[in-house]
Amino acid sequence: MNDDQTKAVENAAKNPKNLGEMEGADAVGTVGRSDCGDMLRMWVKFKEENGRKVIDRATFQTFGCQTAIAVASVATEMIRGKTAGEALAMSGEQLSSPLGPLPPMKIHCAQLVEDALKSALDPAASKPAVPAIPSGPTLADQITPTGKVKINLLKKTSES
Ligand code: FES
């Protein structure tokens, strides 16, 4: 990752868009990765537009790395206005494309976002690295910290 890409990821992670729970969401998907222990939940709301059912808004929460936060931020922006089918057709590479190509060791971070989106939009067809996690009210509700675990909560941002 060159300096520009590193800055793009850092900026997106520092000021994530669409962070937080969404009340009244039409779809929710939660996935986790056993290899790094990160989790991501995505909420999706649809609207009718020109006779098509398209994504009005998507939000996310994650116990994930900086790259996962950055990819989820740009991905939730990119899928606005797309149908579920169009969004489902997007790969992790496409969802992270505004950040530039990710290094091989960070590709799974974009995959986490892709898997959460697929889990939300088509739970029956999604095949995440690990099975989808049953949804609780918030992602934090599903974590039971033991020992020296510290959870840093990001401030919820406005819709933009
Ligand atoms: Fe696990 Fe990035 S290191 S999602």
Side-chain angles (χ1 to χ4, degrees), residues 98-110:
L99 303 170
L102 298 176
M105 73 176 101
K106 289 296 181 183
I107 288 173
H108 79 275
C109 312

Side-chain angles (χ1 to χ4, degrees), residues 109-136:
C109 312
Q111 186 71 48
L112 185 73
V113 176
E114 179 189 340
D115 287 347
L117 182 60
K118 284 185 166 54
S119 176
L121 297 179
D122 191 2
S126 73
K127 292 185 175 64
V130 294
I133 297 164
S135 295

